[in-house]
mmCIF file of all heavy atoms in Angstrom:
data_model
loop_
_atom_site.group_PDB
_atom_site.id
_atom_site.type_symbol
_atom_site.label_atom_id
_atom_site.label_comp_id
_atom_site.label_asym_id
_atom_site.label_seq_id
_atom_site.Cartn_x
_atom_site.Cartn_y
_atom_site.Cartn_z
ATOM 1 N N SER N 320 -153.530 -137.699 -4.869
ATOM 2 C CA SER N 320 -152.088 -138.064 -4.792
ATOM 3 C C SER N 320 -151.359 -137.694 -6.070
ATOM 4 O O SER N 320 -150.275 -137.124 -6.027
ATOM 5 C CB SER N 320 -151.928 -139.555 -4.527
ATOM 6 O OG SER N 320 -152.390 -139.881 -3.238
ATOM 7 N N ARG N 324 -148.460 -134.651 -6.951
ATOM 8 C CA ARG N 324 -147.183 -134.968 -7.617
ATOM 9 C C ARG N 324 -147.063 -134.232 -8.924
ATOM 10 O O ARG N 324 -145.981 -133.763 -9.293
ATOM 11 C CB ARG N 324 -147.057 -136.464 -7.796
ATOM 12 C CG ARG N 324 -146.802 -137.167 -6.458
ATOM 13 C CD ARG N 324 -147.181 -138.625 -6.491
ATOM 14 N NE ARG N 324 -146.807 -139.351 -5.276
ATOM 15 C CZ ARG N 324 -147.528 -139.328 -4.124
ATOM 16 N NH1 ARG N 324 -148.620 -138.554 -4.037
ATOM 17 N NH2 ARG N 324 -147.116 -139.984 -3.053
ATOM 18 N N THR N 392 -149.714 -134.706 2.516
ATOM 19 C CA THR N 392 -148.867 -134.994 1.359
ATOM 20 C C THR N 392 -148.066 -133.755 0.979
ATOM 21 O O THR N 392 -146.890 -133.816 0.685
ATOM 22 C CB THR N 392 -149.736 -135.463 0.155
ATOM 23 O OG1 THR N 392 -150.534 -136.548 0.611
ATOM 24 C CG2 THR N 392 -148.864 -135.958 -0.966
ATOM 25 N N ARG N 395 -145.204 -133.225 3.684
ATOM 26 C CA ARG N 395 -144.142 -134.273 3.743
ATOM 27 C C ARG N 395 -143.326 -134.289 2.422
ATOM 28 O O ARG N 395 -142.131 -134.432 2.436
ATOM 29 C CB ARG N 395 -144.746 -135.633 4.060
ATOM 30 C CG ARG N 395 -145.290 -135.680 5.478
ATOM 31 C CD ARG N 395 -145.499 -137.119 5.951
ATOM 32 N NE ARG N 395 -145.997 -137.155 7.320
ATOM 33 C CZ ARG N 395 -147.182 -137.679 7.667
ATOM 34 N NH1 ARG N 395 -147.956 -138.222 6.749
ATOM 35 N NH2 ARG N 395 -147.538 -137.700 8.947
ATOM 36 N N ALA N 467 -145.219 -148.721 5.754
ATOM 37 C CA ALA N 467 -145.458 -148.466 4.310
ATOM 38 C C ALA N 467 -146.065 -147.084 4.184
ATOM 39 O O ALA N 467 -147.189 -146.846 4.642
ATOM 40 C CB ALA N 467 -146.442 -149.532 3.781
ATOM 41 N N SER N 468 -145.308 -146.154 3.629
ATOM 42 C CA SER N 468 -145.791 -144.786 3.479
ATOM 43 C C SER N 468 -145.274 -144.189 2.175
ATOM 44 O O SER N 468 -144.084 -144.006 2.011
ATOM 45 C CB SER N 468 -145.366 -143.897 4.641
ATOM 46 O OG SER N 468 -145.531 -142.552 4.301
ATOM 47 N N ALA N 469 -146.219 -143.882 1.280
ATOM 48 C CA ALA N 469 -145.816 -143.282 0.009
ATOM 49 C C ALA N 469 -145.282 -141.845 0.221
ATOM 50 O O ALA N 469 -144.456 -141.369 -0.536
ATOM 51 C CB ALA N 469 -147.006 -143.254 -0.941
ATOM 52 N N GLN N 470 -145.801 -141.181 1.272
ATOM 53 C CA GLN N 470 -145.346 -139.812 1.526
ATOM 54 C C GLN N 470 -143.873 -139.825 1.928
ATOM 55 O O GLN N 470 -143.066 -139.008 1.437
ATOM 56 C CB GLN N 470 -146.206 -139.152 2.569
ATOM 57 C CG GLN N 470 -147.637 -138.920 2.089
ATOM 58 C CD GLN N 470 -148.553 -138.401 3.173
ATOM 59 O OE1 GLN N 470 -148.193 -138.312 4.352
ATOM 60 N NE2 GLN N 470 -149.798 -138.082 2.790
ATOM 61 N N ARG N 495 -148.666 -146.613 -2.382
ATOM 62 C CA ARG N 495 -148.901 -146.158 -3.746
ATOM 63 C C ARG N 495 -147.590 -145.746 -4.452
ATOM 64 O O ARG N 495 -146.707 -145.152 -3.808
ATOM 65 C CB ARG N 495 -149.920 -145.009 -3.737
ATOM 66 C CG ARG N 495 -149.497 -143.785 -2.977
ATOM 67 C CD ARG N 495 -150.729 -142.927 -2.623
ATOM 68 N NE ARG N 495 -151.584 -143.634 -1.702
ATOM 69 C CZ ARG N 495 -152.817 -143.275 -1.418
ATOM 70 N NH1 ARG N 495 -153.374 -142.226 -1.941
ATOM 71 N NH2 ARG N 495 -153.554 -143.974 -0.545
ATOM 72 N N ILE N 619 -155.874 -148.270 2.558
ATOM 73 C CA ILE N 619 -155.798 -147.513 3.814
ATOM 74 C C ILE N 619 -156.741 -146.303 3.835
ATOM 75 O O ILE N 619 -157.408 -146.062 4.857
ATOM 76 C CB ILE N 619 -154.326 -147.108 4.113
ATOM 77 C CG1 ILE N 619 -154.159 -146.632 5.562
ATOM 78 C CG2 ILE N 619 -153.764 -146.108 3.126
ATOM 79 C CD1 ILE N 619 -154.152 -147.702 6.572
ATOM 80 N N ASP N 620 -156.872 -145.564 2.752
ATOM 81 C CA ASP N 620 -157.746 -144.396 2.736
ATOM 82 C C ASP N 620 -159.206 -144.752 2.590
ATOM 83 O O ASP N 620 -160.068 -143.915 2.845
ATOM 84 C CB ASP N 620 -157.331 -143.423 1.613
ATOM 85 C CG ASP N 620 -156.014 -142.723 1.890
ATOM 86 O OD1 ASP N 620 -155.526 -142.766 3.035
ATOM 87 O OD2 ASP N 620 -155.468 -142.097 0.955
ATOM 88 N N LYS N 647 -153.915 -140.324 10.635
ATOM 89 C CA LYS N 647 -154.434 -139.659 9.425
ATOM 90 C C LYS N 647 -155.055 -138.306 9.813
ATOM 91 O O LYS N 647 -154.727 -137.798 10.904
ATOM 92 C CB LYS N 647 -155.464 -140.559 8.738
ATOM 93 C CG LYS N 647 -154.870 -141.844 8.172
ATOM 94 C CD LYS N 647 -153.839 -141.576 7.062
ATOM 95 C CE LYS N 647 -153.243 -142.845 6.535
ATOM 96 N NZ LYS N 647 -152.118 -142.575 5.617
HETATM 97 C C1 S3P U 54 -150.620 -140.410 0.213
HETATM 98 C C2 S3P U 54 -150.087 -141.472 0.940
HETATM 99 C C3 S3P U 54 -150.818 -142.104 2.040
HETATM 100 C C4 S3P U 54 -152.302 -141.746 1.992
HETATM 101 C C5 S3P U 54 -152.536 -140.303 1.786
HETATM 102 C C6 S3P U 54 -151.922 -139.841 0.471
HETATM 103 C C7 S3P U 54 -149.767 -139.857 -0.873
HETATM 104 O O1 S3P U 54 -150.308 -141.645 3.259
HETATM 105 O O2 S3P U 54 -152.948 -142.183 3.171
HETATM 106 O O3 S3P U 54 -153.914 -140.013 1.770
HETATM 107 O O4 S3P U 54 -150.287 -139.109 -1.709
HETATM 108 O O5 S3P U 54 -148.590 -140.179 -0.919
HETATM 109 P P1 S3P U 54 -148.965 -142.280 3.953
HETATM 110 O O6 S3P U 54 -147.807 -141.965 3.105
HETATM 111 O O7 S3P U 54 -148.919 -141.646 5.304
HETATM 112 O O8 S3P U 54 -149.204 -143.745 4.024
#
Side-chain angles (χ1 to χ4, degrees):
S320 291
R324 288 159 174 79
T392 308
R395 292 198 179 118
S468 165
Q470 293 174 354
R495 62 199 66 194
I619 193 76
D620 288 348
K647 295 296 179 189

